[in-house]
Amino acid sequence: MKKKRVLFEQTKFVSTILNVVVASAVSITLPGCAAEHPNIQPTETPMAIDLTGNWKEIEPDDNQWYKATIDDDSITVFQIDSKYETTIWNGTYSSPESGDTWEWTSESFDDENSVKESDSEKTNAKATADTKANDSKSDSPETMNFSYSDGTLSFEIELDKETKTVEMEKVVLLDYSSAEVFEIKDKEGKVTGKYSVLTVNKADVTNDALEDWYNSYVAESDYKYAVIVFADEEGKGIYADSKNVYVNTDLSEAKDGGYTEPESDPTYAVDDGKIDVSEKVPIKNAEEVSSDKDSSKNEEKEDDKKTSDNKDSTSTSSNKESSSNKDSSKDSGNSNTGTSTSTKPSGNTSSSKPSTNTGGTSSGNQSTNTKPTDPNAGKTKVWVVDSPAWDETVVVTPAWTENVTVVDTPAWDETIVITPSYDVTTCNACGAQFTGGNQINDVAMHAFTVHGGPGTYHTDTIPAVTQVVHHDAVTHVEQIYHEAVTQVIHHDEVGHWEWQ
């Protein structure tokens, strides 16, 4: 009976362990339940501000101003004046984790200050810049404090023994990755160049964005011209080539695609491949603009220049003579149907031809003094579709067949009893053992027969003998077909403008 008592104690121990595990599970679950209570609101952590990018002084001085660039772990501050650009600080930057204000102490990288000389300055200007940069470095501090609040980045700098607080605002530039690049072809289909088209809203093209677009993108690319199309103002945009930049101008599309150079005055002139938005091209009167355009055309074609000069000379002579004819007509008192007999100078072969006056005026030879006829007069500008818009279905992942193993019966372990448990009664006097269903009577009979009277005995339970047999899972293989993964890509229509 001892072993039965041991088995009972083991069962009690296992029950105690289970009670501890259940209690632990309840204690772990309770905080989760409390978190889901409707009266408890989660705390939202404010998103951190992003200061990386380009910065520019809010109210810059005409003679000297500042700009800065912040990346993931550094800040660089530049001092700009009319002669050179100097790096006055290059140090560490630590980004904020949360909140809408931030202060940090930047530690210097101890890099040499770089000086960029403008092309308009001479060697002595660069020497001055180098001297200034080296002097600035020699007494520059090891740390600089920066702060940000309400969209303004600020720091302090000493100028002429006085402390100045510089305030900067973030400069938002355009995304050039969305620009489309097209080829320019001649009549024979030969590619003669390329042009770029960037479509953005008009408000996105700030002065800083415009200057960076031309100086960092257009000037650094091999384009014959580049265009910014205003998405929110039809037919308007910006046109730029290697000489001029036209802002808020009408964009006229050419018959063979692309855009033609605007006929309006340029807004900015390109100086050594760059533009300065603070310097606009002065507005000229109509005669100066016409003269400049004629001069530009004459530089390209010398022969046309000679022909144009001859025509201008003839036109001038004709205009003077026409004026003379008018005066002569008035003096002679010609009527509306009168005929002027005044002749042109002998140098003009048409001077012998009389001119009929109507209303007391002389028509003269006006063919060289009239403007050329507009070839598109009376026509309508029509959009011609070369290829209509269409949707293309692209296969991202082809269809495929997959072999999958399906489990019919999971693996399991079976316990088999080899010898069942049984009780054994033992005589305490001689150790004789008795089994079977009548063992108590047998041991009593044994005591009277062998020992001559009643005796004592004890009964033990012999445990069963078992064996664990493992059974593998029962499975079969099935083929599963997967449809192809596709994506629809939309292609806009392609066309051109024509006068009809």
Side-chain angles (χ1 to χ4, degrees):
M1 298 301 291
K2 293 180 181 179
K3 289 187 179 182
K4 286 186 178 181
R5 184 167 57 252
V6 171
L7 289 175
F8 171 76
E9 292 176 352
Q10 289 178 345
T11 303
K12 183 177 181 181
F13 176 74
V14 172
S15 176
T16 303
I17 294 178
L18 290 176
N19 291 334
V20 172
V21 172
V22 172
S24 300
V26 172
S27 64
I28 294 174
T29 306
L30 288 177
C33 296
E36 296 176 358
H37 196 279
N39 294 329
I40 301 178
Q41 299 296 330
T43 302
E44 295 184 0
T45 302
M47 295 182 62
I49 50 179
D50 183 13
L51 303 185
T52 58
N54 299 291
W55 296 79
K56 186 177 181 180
E57 189 173 1
I58 296 177
E59 296 181 357
D61 186 273
D62 294 337
N63 299 322
Q64 183 174 283
W65 56 280
Y66 300 87
K67 67 179 183 179
T69 301
I70 300 179
D71 57 21
D72 293 338
D73 54 9
S74 68
I75 177 171
T76 306
V77 182
F78 304 91
Q79 177 179 288
I80 316 296
D81 57 29
S82 59
K83 295 182 179 180
Y84 40 77
E85 175 181 301
T86 308
T87 302
I88 65 171
W89 183 258
N90 185 22
T92 59
Y93 164 69
S94 57
S95 59
E97 296 181 357
S98 63
D100 53 2
T101 60
W102 181 240
E103 294 181 358
W104 83 96
T105 299
S106 177
E107 298 181 358
S108 175
F109 287 146
D110 293 331
D111 290 339
E112 293 185 358
N113 292 353
S114 60
V115 179
K116 297 181 180 179
E117 178 196 4
S118 63
D119 295 334
S120 61
E121 298 302 318
K122 304 299 182 180
T123 306
N124 59 347
K126 186 178 188 304
T128 303
D130 293 337
T131 302
K132 182 174 180 180
N134 292 330
D135 293 342
S136 175
K137 179 188 175 184
S138 62
D139 57 358
S140 61
E142 295 181 356
T143 61
M144 181 178 287
N145 295 324
F146 294 87
S147 63
Y148 171 86
S149 177
D150 195 21
T152 301
L153 176 70
S154 58
F155 63 91
E156 292 184 349
I157 186 171
E158 290 190 5
L159 294 175
D160 299 330
K161 298 182 179 180
E162 293 184 0
T163 301
K164 175 185 178 181
T165 300
V166 180
E167 295 184 341
M168 294 184 170
E169 61 183 354
K170 199 168 188 180
V171 179
V172 179
L173 305 180
L174 302 178
D175 180 14
Y176 311 134
S177 62
S178 60
E180 298 181 276
V181 179
F182 302 92
E183 294 180 341
I184 303 175
K185 298 181 180 180
D186 56 15
K187 295 181 179 180
E188 298 178 355
K190 182 180 179 181
V191 177
T192 59
K194 296 181 179 180
Y195 68 94
S196 170
V197 178
L198 178 64
T199 303
V200 298
N201 291 328
K202 183 178 180 179
D204 294 338
V205 188
T206 62
N207 286 343
D208 294 317
L210 174 63
E211 191 174 79
D212 185 81
W213 170 72
Y214 190 88
N215 297 341
S216 301
Y217 174 70
V218 179
E220 299 299 327
S221 305
D222 189 20
Y223 299 137
K224 283 197 171 182
Y225 66 89
V227 174
I228 293 180
V229 178
F230 293 154
D232 52 352
E233 193 168 336
E234 185 176 0
K236 290 283 189 177
I238 299 174
Y239 181 98
D241 55 21
S242 60
K243 297 181 180 179
N244 297 302
V245 177
Y246 304 81
V247 179
N248 297 336
T249 186
D250 293 326
L251 296 179
S252 300
E253 298 189 18
K255 291 183 178 181
D256 54 350
Y259 295 86
T260 59
E261 182 180 359
E263 296 182 357
S264 60
D265 295 338
T267 311
Y268 303 103
V270 178
D271 183 11
D272 194 25
K274 305 291 182 181
I275 66 169
D276 184 357
V277 296
S278 62
E279 298 180 0
K280 289 188 177 182
V281 176
I283 300 176
K284 303 178 181 180
N285 56 43
E287 293 180 359
E288 290 176 326
V289 173
S290 177
S291 176
D292 290 345
K293 290 185 177 181
D294 290 340
S295 176
S296 176
K297 293 180 180 179
N298 292 338
E299 290 178 359
E300 297 177 358
K301 296 183 179 180
E302 189 66 25
D303 293 340
D304 291 344
K305 178 182 178 182
K306 295 180 181 179
T307 303
S308 176
D309 290 342
N310 292 336
K311 288 184 178 180
D312 291 341
S313 177
T314 303
S315 175
T316 303
S317 175
S318 174
N319 291 339
K320 290 181 179 180
E321 196 166 325
S322 175
S323 176
S324 176
N325 290 341
K326 291 180 180 179
D327 295 339
S328 175
S329 175
K330 291 180 180 179
D331 293 340
S332 60
N334 288 337
S335 63
N336 291 344
T337 57
T339 303
S340 174
T341 58
S342 61
T343 60
K344 296 181 180 180
S346 59
N348 193 330
T349 57
S350 62
S351 61
S352 59
K353 295 181 180 180
S355 58
T356 302
N357 292 339
T358 303
T361 60
S362 172
S363 62
N365 185 3
Q366 300 179 355
S367 61
T368 60
N369 196 32
T370 59
K371 295 183 179 179
T373 304
D374 185 359
N376 297 322
K379 296 183 179 180
T380 302
K381 193 175 183 180
V382 179
W383 175 257
V384 179
V385 178
D386 298 325
S387 59
W390 59 290
D391 292 333
E392 177 186 9
T393 301
V394 179
V395 177
V396 179
T397 304
W400 81 98
T401 301
E402 179 184 14
N403 290 331
V404 178
T405 300
V406 179
V407 177
D408 300 321
T409 303
W412 60 290
D413 293 332
E414 179 185 8
T415 301
I416 300 175
V417 177
I418 298 177
T419 302
S421 62
Y422 60 94
D423 293 337
V424 176
T425 300
T426 305
C427 177
N428 292 336
C430 65
Q433 294 182 339
F434 301 89
T435 61
N438 201 28
Q439 54 186 286
I440 300 301
N441 294 330
D442 293 341
V443 72
M445 183 62 67
H446 165 76
F448 279 100
T449 303
V450 176
H451 301 291
T456 60
Y457 60 88
H458 65 273
T459 301
D460 296 319
T461 299
I462 305 302
V465 178
T466 61
Q467 180 181 0
V468 177
V469 179
H470 177 76
H471 298 271
D472 293 333
V474 179
T475 63
H476 69 277
V477 177
E478 292 183 359
Q479 286 189 337
I480 300 178
Y481 177 77
H482 297 274
E483 296 286 347
V485 179
T486 60
Q487 179 182 1
V488 177
I489 300 177
H490 178 74
H491 298 270
D492 294 332
E493 70 176 20
V494 179
H496 63 277
W497 291 97
E498 286 186 2
W499 290 95
Q500 297 181 358

PDB file of all heavy atoms in Angstrom, residues 416-438:
ATOM      1  N   ILE A 416       1.275   1.146 -25.628  1.00  0.00           N
ATOM      2  CA  ILE A 416       0.804  -0.253 -25.638  1.00  0.00           C
ATOM      3  C   ILE A 416       1.176  -0.917 -24.308  1.00  0.00           C
ATOM      4  O   ILE A 416       2.325  -0.813 -23.840  1.00  0.00           O
ATOM      5  CB  ILE A 416       1.427  -1.038 -26.802  1.00  0.00           C
ATOM      6  CG1 ILE A 416       1.034  -0.386 -28.146  1.00  0.00           C
ATOM      7  CG2 ILE A 416       0.992  -2.493 -26.764  1.00  0.00           C
ATOM      8  CD1 ILE A 416       1.711  -1.052 -29.327  1.00  0.00           C
ATOM      9  N   VAL A 417       0.188  -1.626 -23.657  1.00  0.00           N
ATOM     10  CA  VAL A 417       0.427  -2.340 -22.392  1.00  0.00           C
ATOM     11  C   VAL A 417       0.949  -3.747 -22.715  1.00  0.00           C
ATOM     12  O   VAL A 417       0.249  -4.553 -23.340  1.00  0.00           O
ATOM     13  CB  VAL A 417      -0.853  -2.429 -21.544  1.00  0.00           C
ATOM     14  CG1 VAL A 417      -0.596  -3.238 -20.262  1.00  0.00           C
ATOM     15  CG2 VAL A 417      -1.362  -1.028 -21.223  1.00  0.00           C
ATOM     16  N   ILE A 418       2.174  -3.992 -22.281  1.00  0.00           N
ATOM     17  CA  ILE A 418       2.754  -5.329 -22.515  1.00  0.00           C
ATOM     18  C   ILE A 418       2.339  -6.286 -21.383  1.00  0.00           C
ATOM     19  O   ILE A 418       1.912  -7.409 -21.616  1.00  0.00           O
ATOM     20  CB  ILE A 418       4.287  -5.222 -22.607  1.00  0.00           C
ATOM     21  CG1 ILE A 418       4.663  -4.331 -23.808  1.00  0.00           C
ATOM     22  CG2 ILE A 418       4.919  -6.605 -22.717  1.00  0.00           C
ATOM     23  CD1 ILE A 418       6.163  -4.113 -23.921  1.00  0.00           C
ATOM     24  N   THR A 419       2.487  -5.841 -20.138  1.00  0.00           N
ATOM     25  CA  THR A 419       2.060  -6.645 -18.969  1.00  0.00           C
ATOM     26  C   THR A 419       1.222  -5.754 -18.088  1.00  0.00           C
ATOM     27  O   THR A 419       1.712  -4.705 -17.624  1.00  0.00           O
ATOM     28  CB  THR A 419       3.272  -7.159 -18.169  1.00  0.00           C
ATOM     29  OG1 THR A 419       4.105  -7.932 -19.034  1.00  0.00           O
ATOM     30  CG2 THR A 419       2.818  -8.014 -16.987  1.00  0.00           C
ATOM     31  N   PRO A 420      -0.061  -6.140 -17.819  1.00  0.00           N
ATOM     32  CA  PRO A 420      -0.910  -5.288 -16.980  1.00  0.00           C
ATOM     33  C   PRO A 420      -0.451  -5.316 -15.527  1.00  0.00           C
ATOM     34  O   PRO A 420       0.275  -6.213 -15.091  1.00  0.00           O
ATOM     35  CB  PRO A 420      -2.296  -5.887 -17.155  1.00  0.00           C
ATOM     36  CG  PRO A 420      -2.061  -7.297 -17.539  1.00  0.00           C
ATOM     37  CD  PRO A 420      -0.792  -7.332 -18.314  1.00  0.00           C
ATOM     38  N   SER A 421      -0.877  -4.338 -14.752  1.00  0.00           N
ATOM     39  CA  SER A 421      -0.533  -4.302 -13.330  1.00  0.00           C
ATOM     40  C   SER A 421      -1.325  -5.387 -12.574  1.00  0.00           C
ATOM     41  O   SER A 421      -2.406  -5.790 -13.015  1.00  0.00           O
ATOM     42  CB  SER A 421      -0.847  -2.926 -12.753  1.00  0.00           C
ATOM     43  OG  SER A 421      -2.238  -2.651 -12.848  1.00  0.00           O
ATOM     44  N   TYR A 422      -0.775  -5.822 -11.410  1.00  0.00           N
ATOM     45  CA  TYR A 422      -1.444  -6.855 -10.600  1.00  0.00           C
ATOM     46  C   TYR A 422      -0.973  -6.733  -9.154  1.00  0.00           C
ATOM     47  O   TYR A 422       0.072  -6.116  -8.876  1.00  0.00           O
ATOM     48  CB  TYR A 422      -1.160  -8.262 -11.147  1.00  0.00           C
ATOM     49  CG  TYR A 422       0.310  -8.633 -11.183  1.00  0.00           C
ATOM     50  CD1 TYR A 422       0.887  -9.347 -10.105  1.00  0.00           C
ATOM     51  CD2 TYR A 422       1.104  -8.287 -12.267  1.00  0.00           C
ATOM     52  CE1 TYR A 422       2.223  -9.671 -10.142  1.00  0.00           C
ATOM     53  CE2 TYR A 422       2.443  -8.605 -12.311  1.00  0.00           C
ATOM     54  CZ  TYR A 422       3.001  -9.299 -11.238  1.00  0.00           C
ATOM     55  OH  TYR A 422       4.328  -9.631 -11.251  1.00  0.00           O
ATOM     56  N   ASP A 423      -1.770  -7.373  -8.217  1.00  0.00           N
ATOM     57  CA  ASP A 423      -1.448  -7.354  -6.785  1.00  0.00           C
ATOM     58  C   ASP A 423      -0.762  -8.665  -6.378  1.00  0.00           C
ATOM     59  O   ASP A 423      -1.110  -9.743  -6.868  1.00  0.00           O
ATOM     60  CB  ASP A 423      -2.705  -7.166  -5.948  1.00  0.00           C
ATOM     61  CG  ASP A 423      -3.333  -5.793  -6.137  1.00  0.00           C
ATOM     62  OD1 ASP A 423      -2.572  -4.863  -6.550  1.00  0.00           O
ATOM     63  OD2 ASP A 423      -4.544  -5.633  -5.924  1.00  0.00           O
ATOM     64  N   VAL A 424       0.171  -8.541  -5.423  1.00  0.00           N
ATOM     65  CA  VAL A 424       0.889  -9.707  -4.854  1.00  0.00           C
ATOM     66  C   VAL A 424       0.787  -9.648  -3.321  1.00  0.00           C
ATOM     67  O   VAL A 424       1.136  -8.609  -2.731  1.00  0.00           O
ATOM     68  CB  VAL A 424       2.363  -9.714  -5.291  1.00  0.00           C
ATOM     69  CG1 VAL A 424       3.100 -10.880  -4.608  1.00  0.00           C
ATOM     70  CG2 VAL A 424       2.470  -9.806  -6.800  1.00  0.00           C
ATOM     71  N   THR A 425       0.288 -10.740  -2.710  1.00  0.00           N
ATOM     72  CA  THR A 425       0.192 -10.818  -1.235  1.00  0.00           C
ATOM     73  C   THR A 425       1.323 -11.700  -0.728  1.00  0.00           C
ATOM     74  O   THR A 425       1.506 -12.830  -1.209  1.00  0.00           O
ATOM     75  CB  THR A 425      -1.160 -11.411  -0.823  1.00  0.00           C
ATOM     76  OG1 THR A 425      -2.214 -10.565  -1.339  1.00  0.00           O
ATOM     77  CG2 THR A 425      -1.292 -11.491   0.690  1.00  0.00           C
ATOM     78  N   THR A 426       2.066 -11.187   0.277  1.00  0.00           N
ATOM     79  CA  THR A 426       3.273 -11.867   0.776  1.00  0.00           C
ATOM     80  C   THR A 426       3.086 -12.214   2.249  1.00  0.00           C
ATOM     81  O   THR A 426       2.639 -11.359   3.043  1.00  0.00           O
ATOM     82  CB  THR A 426       4.507 -10.967   0.603  1.00  0.00           C
ATOM     83  OG1 THR A 426       4.611 -10.582  -0.763  1.00  0.00           O
ATOM     84  CG2 THR A 426       5.765 -11.681   1.055  1.00  0.00           C
ATOM     85  N   CYS A 427       3.452 -13.459   2.604  1.00  0.00           N
ATOM     86  CA  CYS A 427       3.415 -13.908   4.008  1.00  0.00           C
ATOM     87  C   CYS A 427       4.567 -13.264   4.754  1.00  0.00           C
ATOM     88  O   CYS A 427       5.723 -13.368   4.323  1.00  0.00           O
ATOM     89  CB  CYS A 427       3.513 -15.442   4.090  1.00  0.00           C
ATOM     90  SG  CYS A 427       3.570 -16.054   5.803  1.00  0.00           S
ATOM     91  N   ASN A 428       4.271 -12.592   5.870  1.00  0.00           N
ATOM     92  CA  ASN A 428       5.314 -11.912   6.635  1.00  0.00           C
ATOM     93  C   ASN A 428       6.226 -12.894   7.370  1.00  0.00           C
ATOM     94  O   ASN A 428       7.363 -12.553   7.710  1.00  0.00           O
ATOM     95  CB  ASN A 428       4.684 -10.951   7.644  1.00  0.00           C
ATOM     96  CG  ASN A 428       3.999  -9.782   6.953  1.00  0.00           C
ATOM     97  OD1 ASN A 428       4.346  -9.446   5.823  1.00  0.00           O
ATOM     98  ND2 ASN A 428       3.008  -9.178   7.617  1.00  0.00           N
ATOM     99  N   ALA A 429       5.756 -14.126   7.586  1.00  0.00           N
ATOM    100  CA  ALA A 429       6.557 -15.098   8.348  1.00  0.00           C
ATOM    101  C   ALA A 429       7.603 -15.767   7.478  1.00  0.00           C
ATOM    102  O   ALA A 429       8.773 -15.852   7.861  1.00  0.00           O
ATOM    103  CB  ALA A 429       5.650 -16.156   8.971  1.00  0.00           C
ATOM    104  N   CYS A 430       7.217 -16.167   6.253  1.00  0.00           N
ATOM    105  CA  CYS A 430       8.166 -16.894   5.410  1.00  0.00           C
ATOM    106  C   CYS A 430       8.409 -16.274   4.068  1.00  0.00           C
ATOM    107  O   CYS A 430       9.281 -16.696   3.307  1.00  0.00           O
ATOM    108  CB  CYS A 430       7.692 -18.351   5.235  1.00  0.00           C
ATOM    109  SG  CYS A 430       6.116 -18.459   4.322  1.00  0.00           S
ATOM    110  N   GLY A 431       7.629 -15.231   3.724  1.00  0.00           N
ATOM    111  CA  GLY A 431       7.829 -14.550   2.435  1.00  0.00           C
ATOM    112  C   GLY A 431       7.148 -15.217   1.278  1.00  0.00           C
ATOM    113  O   GLY A 431       7.414 -14.861   0.128  1.00  0.00           O
ATOM    114  N   ALA A 432       6.300 -16.175   1.516  1.00  0.00           N
ATOM    115  CA  ALA A 432       5.590 -16.820   0.415  1.00  0.00           C
ATOM    116  C   ALA A 432       4.640 -15.811  -0.222  1.00  0.00           C
ATOM    117  O   ALA A 432       4.003 -15.012   0.474  1.00  0.00           O
ATOM    118  CB  ALA A 432       4.836 -18.027   0.932  1.00  0.00           C
ATOM    119  N   GLN A 433       4.548 -15.827  -1.575  1.00  0.00           N
ATOM    120  CA  GLN A 433       3.732 -14.865  -2.327  1.00  0.00           C
ATOM    121  C   GLN A 433       2.569 -15.572  -2.996  1.00  0.00           C
ATOM    122  O   GLN A 433       2.707 -16.689  -3.493  1.00  0.00           O
ATOM    123  CB  GLN A 433       4.575 -14.128  -3.373  1.00  0.00           C
ATOM    124  CG  GLN A 433       5.630 -13.231  -2.783  1.00  0.00           C
ATOM    125  CD  GLN A 433       6.408 -12.474  -3.860  1.00  0.00           C
ATOM    126  OE1 GLN A 433       6.417 -12.895  -5.016  1.00  0.00           O
ATOM    127  NE2 GLN A 433       7.042 -11.361  -3.461  1.00  0.00           N
ATOM    128  N   PHE A 434       1.443 -14.832  -3.051  1.00  0.00           N
ATOM    129  CA  PHE A 434       0.224 -15.382  -3.619  1.00  0.00           C
ATOM    130  C   PHE A 434      -0.389 -14.325  -4.538  1.00  0.00           C
ATOM    131  O   PHE A 434      -0.433 -13.121  -4.200  1.00  0.00           O
ATOM    132  CB  PHE A 434      -0.766 -15.769  -2.509  1.00  0.00           C
ATOM    133  CG  PHE A 434      -0.208 -16.791  -1.550  1.00  0.00           C
ATOM    134  CD1 PHE A 434       0.491 -16.400  -0.416  1.00  0.00           C
ATOM    135  CD2 PHE A 434      -0.374 -18.158  -1.802  1.00  0.00           C
ATOM    136  CE1 PHE A 434       1.001 -17.342   0.456  1.00  0.00           C
ATOM    137  CE2 PHE A 434       0.140 -19.084  -0.913  1.00  0.00           C
ATOM    138  CZ  PHE A 434       0.837 -18.696   0.217  1.00  0.00           C
ATOM    139  N   THR A 435      -0.866 -14.750  -5.721  1.00  0.00           N
ATOM    140  CA  THR A 435      -1.508 -13.864  -6.693  1.00  0.00           C
ATOM    141  C   THR A 435      -2.854 -14.442  -7.068  1.00  0.00           C
ATOM    142  O   THR A 435      -3.194 -15.543  -6.681  1.00  0.00           O
ATOM    143  CB  THR A 435      -0.630 -13.708  -7.950  1.00  0.00           C
ATOM    144  OG1 THR A 435      -0.470 -15.001  -8.539  1.00  0.00           O
ATOM    145  CG2 THR A 435       0.719 -13.109  -7.623  1.00  0.00           C
ATOM    146  N   GLY A 436      -3.558 -13.711  -7.861  1.00  0.00           N
ATOM    147  CA  GLY A 436      -4.844 -14.182  -8.312  1.00  0.00           C
ATOM    148  C   GLY A 436      -5.968 -13.545  -7.530  1.00  0.00           C
ATOM    149  O   GLY A 436      -5.756 -12.812  -6.551  1.00  0.00           O
ATOM    150  N   GLY A 437      -7.151 -13.879  -7.903  1.00  0.00           N
ATOM    151  CA  GLY A 437      -8.296 -13.246  -7.293  1.00  0.00           C
ATOM    152  C   GLY A 437      -8.604 -13.790  -5.898  1.00  0.00           C
ATOM    153  O   GLY A 437      -9.359 -13.165  -5.157  1.00  0.00           O
ATOM    154  N   ASN A 438      -8.018 -14.905  -5.474  1.00  0.00           N
ATOM    155  CA  ASN A 438      -8.329 -15.528  -4.176  1.00  0.00           C
ATOM    156  C   ASN A 438      -7.104 -15.548  -3.277  1.00  0.00           C
ATOM    157  O   ASN A 438      -6.932 -16.432  -2.425  1.00  0.00           O
ATOM    158  CB  ASN A 438      -8.851 -16.946  -4.405  1.00  0.00           C
ATOM    159  CG  ASN A 438      -9.651 -17.469  -3.211  1.00  0.00           C
ATOM    160  OD1 ASN A 438     -10.255 -16.675  -2.467  1.00  0.00           O
ATOM    161  ND2 ASN A 438      -9.661 -18.768  -3.016  1.00  0.00           N
TER     162      ASN A 438
END
